Amino acid sequence: MTTIIEAPTRTNDLQVRTDPAGKPLAIRHDGRIWLVDPDTESQHWFGRDAWWDTRRTAAVGSGDLVSIEYWQVQVRSGTHSALRTATLRRNPLSTHWLLDNISDADETTEEE
């Protein structure tokens, strides 16, 4: 079976619906709605931005400038569609989500 991995996408048309605790429930991207499968476990973690490379400056009390939030969720675009894995990322101090990748559920990829 050949798996086609979609290139990482960083567009403004990505919308993420979350529950009150911040867990993604649905993703709207490229004209499609992907529902997070409630029967699978989502992964949530934080990474660190290389702030020393960005040369970002901020006033004292500006907030967390280094924590990048990630969610990896299993999604479907319809009731009978194949399960896929989506990795979402939110950069420090951002309210907008980015789609790092989306692939077949049994494949995991990392951005190069």
Side-chain angles (χ1 to χ4, degrees):
M1 179 168 134
T2 302
T3 302
I4 298 173
I5 306 299
E6 296 177 12
T9 306
R10 293 181 178 90
T11 60
N12 291 331
D13 66 342
L14 180 72
Q15 296 173 322
V16 179
R17 173 186 262 175
T18 61
D19 68 10
K23 179 181 176 182
L25 299 173
I27 302 165
R28 180 185 300 242
H29 173 67
D30 201 24
R32 296 175 88 173
I33 295 176
W34 300 83
L35 299 176
V36 175
D37 184 3
D39 297 329
T40 60
E41 187 174 329
S42 298
Q43 302 295 317
H44 184 224
W45 72 94
F46 288 87
R48 293 288 184 206
D49 187 23
W51 57 268
W52 53 89
D53 289 337
T54 63
R55 307 219 189 277
R56 240 183 291 171
T57 60
V60 173
S62 294
D64 184 351
L65 299 175
V66 297
S67 295
I68 301 171
E69 182 176 11
Y70 291 92
W71 279 94
Q72 189 172 68
V73 294
Q74 305 297 306
V75 296
R76 295 182 193 275
S77 62
T79 306
H80 301 291
S81 69
L83 198 60
R84 301 187 76 189
T85 301
T87 304
L88 306 172
R89 175 171 52 94
R90 186 163 49 186
N91 290 331
L93 303 179
S94 178
T95 58
H96 300 288
W97 288 95
L98 301 171
L99 180 62
D100 265 0
N101 65 49
I102 187 165
S103 61
D104 287 346
D106 59 352
E107 294 288 322
T108 56
T109 63
E110 291 186 23
E111 184 178 2
E112 294 182 19

